[in-house]
Amino acid sequence: MAVLASAVVLLTGALTLGQAGALVGRTWSVLVFLLAAAVLAELAGKAGVFEVAAVWAARHGGGRTWRLWLLVVAIAVAATVTLSLDTTAVLLTPVVLALARRTGAPASVAALLALTCAWLANTASLLLPVSNLTNLLALDVLEGGPAGGGVPAFAALTWRPAVAAVVATVVVLAVLHRRALRTSYSPPQPAEVADPVLLKVAAAVVVLVLPALAAGLEPWAVAGTAALVLAAVFAVRKRSALSREMVPLPLAISVLGLFVLVEALNQHGLTGALAAVAGQGEGFTELLRLAATSAAAANAVDNLPAYLALQPLLSPDDPLRTAAVLVGVNAGPLITPWGSLAVLLWARACRAEDVPVRWGRFALQGLVLVPVVLVAAVGALVL
């Protein structure tokens, strides 16, 4: 649908080829990162990184569900921050659900672990540019402003709302699922590793992503290099695991189609309409209004096009408003199924593990979570 809509936009002249070319020039690095990060996460999963981490959590949980859950929270946050929200939704979700089944945990625990992955995939995606595609787009907006450019400056701006969003998510999950947290399970046997060398290399590559980003390297270059290194190791030790399907070209093309479509809408009045709703100012009330507008837009049409629609309202001289938009589009799209692509991918992973997804219940719980997260994150941002 995104591709067809973008084709209509170009054929009718609603967006000229020159404007489309300028758009690709601004967003090519985001698309390259999307492809590279998907390959990196997929190979890390095939090497057993996520399974070993989950089994380690279950063994160190000592049979107490609340301990296991807190360790899963830590793994989900780390996966989201370093490898993007889709990694947690697609790769970590089936691992923890399979682990819950293997340890004989009640169905309520499986539901808690599943929801933890879905929520933290979004609410934990504020800290680094690589955590969410919207962050990568915002990185360009912040260049040249008082907050400065690059990964360290981005993290300096977002770490407070990022921590607040995660803490708020954990608190809401604990309250809503307090009965499940009182249950117990049987700790599993140690994880069986088919290729210890491959596992160690994959884990080392993933761990080295953070210092590479902290050094100021471009996120697309870091993800691309890490993916190429890991692919080369797989080619030597487990060539059968490599396939063309690991590179999500259809997804990248769809994202590009969304870019084109939203850019055309921005050129024809969408920006002005959103400006009237989003308001102005940097106080708590004004930033909360902007974050709420962003969250509502994300739940209506998906978080990526919602951010693109709001981006023309942002300025390098006003980093707090850029951060408030990210709070809304990253942590807010947890009410509708289509609010975040990660949620749709998460639902598919749940169904593959025979864990039902009840969208009505998901929406009601999201209506509890989202306001709490927005207030907490915006409050931390203002402070």
Side-chain angles (χ1 to χ4, degrees), residues 12-57:
T12 59
L15 192 70
T16 67
L17 291 179
Q19 291 169 328
L23 174 67
V24 173
R26 297 198 312 269
T27 59
W28 68 267
S29 60
V30 175
L31 299 174
V32 171
F33 171 80
L34 171 64
L35 297 173
V39 173
L40 174 60
E42 181 76 15
L43 291 177
K46 290 184 176 182
V49 171
F50 301 111
E51 182 179 1
V52 168
V55 171
W56 174 88

Side-chain angles (χ1 to χ4, degrees), residues 15 37 41 50 54 69 71 89 134 139 144 147 183 188 200 202 210-211 237 257 263 268 289 301 330 347 367:
L15 192 70
F50 301 111
W69 173 67
L71 291 171
T134 54
L139 197 62
T183 62
K200 291 177 182 177
L210 275 179
R237 301 193 65 89
E263 180 69 12
H268 294 276
R289 174 182 175 181
V301 297
N330 288 14
L367 285 169

Side-chain angles (χ1 to χ4, degrees), residues 81-256:
V81 167
T82 58
L83 294 173
S84 87
L85 72 169
D86 293 340
T87 300
T88 301
V90 177
L91 298 177
L92 184 60
T93 299
V95 168
V96 298
L97 291 180
L99 182 66
R101 184 170 57 249
R102 191 190 318 170
T103 58
S108 60
V109 174
L112 167 61
L113 296 179
L115 192 62
T116 298
C117 289
W119 280 6
L120 286 175
N122 289 272
T123 61
S125 67
L126 282 165
L127 182 61
L128 296 178
V130 297
S131 307
N132 201 316
L133 292 183
T134 54
N135 298 354
L136 286 173
L137 293 167
L139 197 62
D140 291 335
V141 174
L142 296 171
E143 290 284 349
V151 176
F154 185 95
L157 173 67
T158 60
W159 75 265
R160 292 176 182 84
V163 171
V166 169
V167 171
T169 303
V170 170
V171 170
V172 173
L173 280 167
V175 172
L176 293 179
H177 295 266
R178 54 192 180 277
R179 291 183 180 176
L181 291 173
R182 299 192 190 104
T183 62
S184 59
Y185 65 93
S186 301
Q189 295 298 315
E192 296 183 4
V193 180
D195 190 332
V197 173
L198 197 57
L199 172 65
K200 291 177 182 177
V201 172
V205 168
V206 170
V207 169
L208 288 173
V209 166
L210 275 179
L213 292 171
L217 299 177
E218 292 287 342
W220 67 268
V222 172
T225 302
L228 288 174
V229 168
L230 205 48
V233 176
F234 264 86
V236 173
R237 301 193 65 89
K238 195 177 180 181
R239 182 179 292 271
S240 60
L242 299 175
S243 65
R244 294 180 180 178
E245 287 72 22
M246 290 177 6
V247 183
L249 282 175
L251 177 59
I253 294 171
S254 298
V255 170
L256 180 58

